[in-house]
Every structure is written in C-alpha cells, then in structure tokens.
Amino acid sequence: SPRHCAPCLAWPVGHNLGHRKSASGVRAAQAQAHAMALILEPFYHGSHKYWCDVLSTLGSSVNPVRVVGMPGGSKWHWRMLASAAHFAMTVTEEELQHVDTVVVSAMTNLAELAGLVPALAAKRKVLYFHENQLEYPRSGAESRKSAGQADFNLVWNQIASCLCADKVLFNSEYNLETFYSQIGPFMNRIPKGARPPPVDV
C-alpha cells in the first residue's frame, strides 16, 4: 500500500555493484546511476513553484533533476483537467529515455498521462499531494454551479492517479488522513451498478 507521508523526496542515485554481474547487467546499472528525475507541475506558482525549485537543487551533473512546469497561478481547475495532455505533448520520448523517476503533482491526472505516454510504464512514478480535493476548500457557489460534477471529476482524477503511482507522498499527516478517510464516502456517491469494486489505494 502506498500510504506514505513525507515532506520531501529522496532520489535513488546509486546502486550496489558489490556482486559480480554480467556485462549487460553492469551497463544497465550504470545507465540507471546516470538517470534523471523529472518533476511535472501544472501549477508552477507560489508554494508549488518553491517546492519544485528546492527539489531541483538536489540534483547533480550525474543525477540531474529537471522541472517541467506550467507557469502562472490562475485557472487551477482547468490545469487539473488538461495538464496530462499538456505534459504528454511537452516531454519528448528522447528525454524520457534518460529518466528513471517521474514525480507528478497530484494536480495532474497521472493515470491519464500514463495512458497518453506508454513509455511511463517502465518509469518509477511518484505522486505528490500538495493538497487533496476531498478536503480542498471550495465555495458552495462553485459546487452548485457545476451540480457537484466538477468536484467529483477532480477527486476521481486523484484517486485514479494513486492507483497508477508506484509511490504516493503527502506534504502532511493531515493531508494524508483527510484524503484516505473520505475515499469510502466519496465512492458511495457513485450509483450502484456503475460503482467499481472497493478501491485499495
């Protein structure tokens, strides 16, 4: 179960080569030891930008960390809905060949992104929650305007992203607990017959 809580990430920057390996095995280990970490952030603004910029300083010439962000701080809900397609067309297949770990903000639908970019299947995918949509404050007027459907879509995107990720990280214990404690009641909003089996995230 990927229930983890951590304020920062640690990159896999080395491998134990103490045991004798085949030439192909050594080459594969060396290639991974020179791999890049890629951070995708659709809300490259404010605290989200600061988080990305701090993580980018953890890289080195051997194990670089690259940030691909969508600048600006407006229209965040549209960024959540469309950023997967944006990153699918922004990050090239050639660049992904050098990537070992992809860190995606929970404002991007990771499951959708993985479907659009098949090469991500072989990468280590980390999902990071700055905030979760089950707890994110939204005005009653916003919910009424969309009849609650927009709220549902944003939460469902985050649940699907958790199912796709290899590791899920939260910026606080509160953020983690409020997300997991409300998944069950949220899933019960789906009518019987259309509701998926219990989801283990």
Side-chain angles (χ1 to χ4, degrees):
S1 172
R3 289 190 58 171
H4 302 278
C5 179
C8 59
L9 305 176
W11 307 111
V13 295
H15 299 271
N16 184 0
L17 301 180
H19 296 287
R20 185 173 180 179
K21 298 184 178 184
S22 66
S24 60
V26 171
R27 284 195 298 270
Q30 289 174 337
Q32 191 164 8
H34 289 77
M36 176 173 67
L38 182 65
I39 303 174
L40 304 179
E41 174 57 69
F43 195 77
Y44 192 59
H45 181 79
S47 62
H48 288 229
K49 180 180 184 299
Y50 178 79
W51 172 78
C52 290
D53 293 345
V54 169
L55 287 184
S56 69
T57 66
L58 301 180
S60 66
S61 59
V62 176
N63 298 101
V65 177
R66 180 179 177 230
V67 176
V68 178
M70 296 171 62
S74 62
K75 309 296 183 184
W76 63 267
H77 52 295
W78 286 111
R79 293 168 186 259
M80 288 194 70
L81 293 172
S83 59
H86 171 87
F87 290 129
M89 293 183 285
T90 302
V91 180
T92 66
E93 291 186 9
E94 180 180 0
E95 183 175 28
L96 282 175
Q97 292 178 3
H98 306 286
V99 171
D100 172 68
T101 301
V102 179
V103 182
V104 182
S105 163
M107 289 188 71
T108 290
N109 187 335
L110 178 57
E112 182 180 352
L113 179 62
L116 293 170
V117 185
L120 286 181
K123 310 300 179 182
R124 183 171 183 259
K125 295 174 287 296
V126 178
L127 184 70
Y128 185 85
F129 278 79
H130 296 273
E131 58 274 315
N132 75 78
Q133 290 302 308
L134 280 167
E135 186 65 13
Y136 192 80
R138 189 174 289 109
S139 71
E142 286 181 311
S143 292
R144 288 192 297 273
K145 186 175 180 180
S146 64
Q149 189 61 41
D151 300 1
F152 183 93
N153 290 343
L154 296 177
V155 175
W156 178 252
N157 285 354
Q158 291 192 327
I159 293 175
S161 294
C162 288
L163 295 174
C164 181
D166 297 303
K167 177 170 282 191
V168 180
L169 300 171
F170 292 81
N171 66 348
S172 68
E173 189 75 24
Y174 174 83
N175 203 5
L176 182 153
E177 293 299 336
T178 55
F179 182 72
Y180 281 102
S181 66
Q182 296 183 64
I183 287 179
F186 171 83
M187 296 296 290
N188 288 335
R189 291 175 55 185
I190 304 174
K192 290 183 178 179
R195 188 183 307 161
V199 177
D200 180 14
V201 295

